[in-house]
Amino acid sequence: MSTQQAICMVEAINLALHHAMRNDDDVVLLGEDVGTNGGVFRATIGLKESFGMKRVMDTPLAENMIAGLSIGMAAQGLKPIAEIQFLGFIFPAMEHIICHAARLRNRTRGRLSCPLVIRAPYGGGIHAPEHHSESTEAIFAQIPGLRVVIPSSPQRAYGLLLSAIQNPDPVIFLEPKRIYRSQNQIVEDNGQALPLDTCFTLREGADISLISWGAMIKETLEAADHLADEGIQCEVIDVASMNPLDRETILASVGKTGRCVIIQEAPLSCSVGSEIASLLASEALMDLRAPVARVAGYDTVMPYFRLEDQYMPLTIQIIDAAKRTMEFA
């Protein structure tokens, strides 16, 4: 029997974890403070009480150990969900993730797989200290064998996390902490998963495509509302899966509108936005009526919290970029 309630993203993640663990005894959870404290953002609260310490395991502060242990569990038939407290802390685990989790199916010629989900809060906007606010999704999107998924709402967080847990290969599941509690939606706890490797069209429009993901969807939709008041109809695409990239949806949207602005919080250079712009240049050039515009963070280290607002892309920047793009033929 399903239930409906208006909840925020962090609660939707918790709901999905409860559902997955309730329905599959192979699903286990591990990470720093995920058990007794319920996680630094309380995404795992109540899970230890419901499923016990053998399935919800507090670990030492050792990301390298968390990743290695999780890969071993996954190779032997469990479905571990490992939490890295902040994405900026993941680098000690990179050797395990890149050299082992991503390659296990290939290395064993399909004999083994790695049904592992690594969850990590990421991005800026909450005035956190150093190493807590990076948007480095492009690093993982460049690794063959890894899926990279970023939800932008409670409903998509619930459905995409369930799909990630069911996936037989490793998924990096990045949670934009700036919108953890900023939006409530009705989320039905029915176990309905959403497809991976798929963009979501959040708004139909004929004049220009606004392509974004994660927390920046909020500003992107605000910009689309403002532009609609000025007679510019925006199509808003939530990329959701960085790798594999849903090329068909992106190309179809820009093929219809002929114009595109890509919005990301990450630095401009060598980014997921760069890959999308390259895709449009190589496969949609004849459809474009204007150069592809990008609104992004700066090619510098995320500043401390006093200057954080100067780094984060703003709604007005998206509006201005769209208007400039509309000035072309």
Side-chain angles (χ1 to χ4, degrees), residues 13 55 192 217 237 239 254 269-270 276 296 301 325:
I13 290 165
R55 294 184 64 195
Q192 186 65 47
I217 288 292
I237 304 295
V239 176
V254 177
S269 300
C270 304
I276 295 172
V301 175
T325 303

Side-chain angles (χ1 to χ4, degrees), residues 7-67:
I7 57 177
C8 64
M9 181 184 287
V10 75
E11 293 170 323
I13 290 165
N14 184 273
L15 196 66
L17 292 172
H18 267 96
H19 188 281
M21 297 188 75
R22 188 169 59 246
N23 288 277
D24 189 342
D25 290 341
D26 288 333
V27 176
V28 296
L29 188 69
L30 67 159
E32 298 161 10
D33 296 327
V34 298
T36 301
N37 288 340
V40 67
F41 291 100
R42 303 300 182 260
T44 57
I45 195 165
L47 289 165
K48 182 179 177 181
E49 290 75 13
S50 296
F51 302 104
M53 62 184 299
K54 289 186 178 181
R55 294 184 64 195
V56 182
M57 294 166 275
D58 283 317
T59 68
L61 285 97
E63 287 77 14
N64 186 42
M65 183 213 71
I66 293 169

Side-chain angles (χ1 to χ4, degrees), residues 95-302:
E95 193 271 340
H96 279 305
I97 294 169
I98 295 173
C99 297
H100 302 289
R103 296 171 182 250
L104 190 59
R105 179 181 290 278
N106 181 268
R107 174 177 290 144
T108 64
R109 300 299 183 262
R111 185 174 63 85
L112 297 177
S113 62
C114 190
L116 163 65
V117 177
I118 296 179
R119 297 178 41 251
Y122 93 108
I126 67 164
H127 291 177
E130 191 179 20
H131 303 308
H132 294 66
S133 301
E134 288 91 344
S135 296
T136 52
E137 62 268 25
I139 293 176
F140 301 96
Q142 220 254 341
I143 304 302
L146 292 182
R147 277 181 166 81
V148 182
V149 178
I150 303 177
S152 63
S153 73
Q155 291 174 353
R156 285 185 287 283
Y158 178 85
L160 290 171
L161 182 53
L162 287 177
S163 284
I165 296 167
Q166 296 164 10
N167 195 71
D169 294 301
V171 177
I172 307 296
F173 194 86
L174 302 182
E175 301 164 7
K177 57 183 177 288
R178 178 162 63 93
I179 57 171
Y180 259 158
R181 291 181 169 83
S182 66
Q183 174 191 15
N184 284 2
Q185 285 182 332
I186 295 292
V187 177
E188 188 173 358
D189 187 18
N190 58 4
Q192 186 65 47
L194 288 173
L196 302 179
D197 315 339
T198 301
C199 294
F200 297 94
T201 302
L202 305 185
R203 181 179 182 135
E204 300 277 353
D207 295 327
I208 187 169
S209 300
L210 305 182
I211 298 176
S212 189
W213 54 91
M216 289 308 304
I217 288 292
K218 175 180 180 291
E219 284 78 11
T220 301
L221 288 170
E222 290 173 355
D225 288 339
H226 182 94
L227 291 163
D229 292 339
E230 300 188 24
I232 300 172
Q233 299 304 314
C234 301
E235 184 148 292
V236 176
I237 304 295
D238 177 3
V239 176
S241 290
M242 310 298 105
N243 183 33
L245 187 64
D246 179 4
R247 299 154 62 94
E248 290 75 18
T249 297
I250 293 170
L251 290 170
S253 177
V254 177
K256 177 173 67 174
T257 65
R259 302 176 179 88
C260 180
V261 179
I262 303 165
I263 303 102
Q264 65 183 33
E265 184 179 316
L268 182 70
S269 300
C270 304
S271 62
V272 174
S274 302
E275 176 62 25
I276 295 172
S278 174
L279 168 68
L280 296 176
S282 62
E283 299 192 29
L285 181 62
M286 304 311 293
D287 294 321
L288 289 170
R289 302 181 185 182
V292 174
R294 288 185 287 162
V295 176
Y298 296 96
D299 290 339
T300 187
V301 175
M302 168 71 81

